Amino acid sequence: MGKKKIVVLTGAGMSVESGLKTFRDADGLWENYPVAKVATHEGWEADPTLVTNFYNMLRKKCWSVKPNEGHRQVAALEEKYDVTVVTQNVDNLHEQAGSKKVIHLHGELMKVCSSRDVDDPRYQKTLTPDNCEVAPGTKAGDGSLLRPFIVFFGEAVPNITVAAEEVQEADILIIIGTSLVVYPAAGLLHYAKPDTPIYLIDPNPINAGGRVKQIQKGASEGMKELNEILLK
């Protein structure tokens, strides 16, 4: 008998306790920058230097924070379960906490790529803590500008199909820190089998339908409570 499969879907609320601002704050700002200028294709075309410097700043900030207890509790599930994390976050805090299988829906902050063909692996590069800045104007191997490996607003989400396949196979689905209104990620819920238990961890009350059990706490406290059930 193989291990039961858990899929954990995480959003911005997962990283808030680590000190990272959320990607989609209601005011349309991300770390005090207008989202339209730093997270859209139009913004990149208009001012690649601004966008490059914004992500340089964000990477430095990301390396200065640590995974929180919620990230560690998600990683702890691997003791007993086959776990896949599907995250809307661009940080690598799940990986730092020890999660082995992480699917990033919105790209990865620690990677850069060709601006001509974002998904060409030949021109993707992973940056390290001591080398996490990209000088504006730096080119990828194909001669185009090196851009952040981030799914900008309005761009397709290549990993959504992979994520949907994982959810279809899940024995248990856990959702943490995402409001379930942001598509395409919110649609992943519909891929769960009808009898799959769904747990939602969020401090705000969310009306997610009868089959969803909500734990109305933040990521760390909520995961501690859930792991007392799942890791008994």
Side-chain angles (χ1 to χ4, degrees), residues 146-218:
L146 209 50
R147 69 160 253 188
F149 186 62
I150 297 289
V151 177
F152 289 147
F153 283 92
E155 290 183 332
V157 178
N159 276 339
I160 198 74
T161 314
V162 187
E165 285 165 3
E166 293 285 339
V167 172
Q168 277 176 325
E169 293 173 10
D171 297 303
I172 299 169
L173 182 60
I174 302 170
I175 301 158
I176 309 168
T178 175
S179 62
L180 295 181
V181 294
V182 177
Y183 280 84
L188 287 173
L189 211 60
H190 307 306
Y191 288 91
K193 293 184 294 245
D195 55 346
T196 301
I198 301 174
Y199 296 95
L200 172 66
I201 295 171
D202 199 284
N204 305 308
I206 293 172
N207 180 15
R211 66 184 289 208
V212 179
K213 299 183 183 85
Q214 182 172 3
I215 296 174
Q216 208 172 324
K217 292 182 174 177

Side-chain angles (χ1 to χ4, degrees), residues 4 20 29 40 61 94 114 127 139 150 217:
K4 277 192 166 180
L20 290 179
L29 295 176
T40 63
K61 185 165 180 137
H94 279 297
S114 150
L127 303 173
K139 295 209 159 77
I150 297 289
K217 292 182 174 177

Side-chain angles (χ1 to χ4, degrees), residues 51-64 92 109-112 125-135 146 148:
V51 176
T52 298
N53 286 331
F54 171 76
Y55 288 93
N56 284 340
M57 176 273 294
L58 215 53
R59 278 185 214 104
K60 278 197 278 199
K61 185 165 180 137
C62 194
W63 282 121
S64 72
N92 63 353
L109 183 57
M110 296 308 160
K111 288 184 179 176
V112 285
K125 184 173 148 198
T126 301
L127 303 173
T128 56
D130 50 0
N131 179 26
C132 65
E133 287 195 56
V134 174
L146 209 50

Side-chain angles (χ1 to χ4, degrees), residues 215-226:
I215 296 174
Q216 208 172 324
K217 292 182 174 177
S220 294
E221 290 306 313
M223 269 309 297
K224 274 189 200 163
E225 183 176 314
L226 184 53

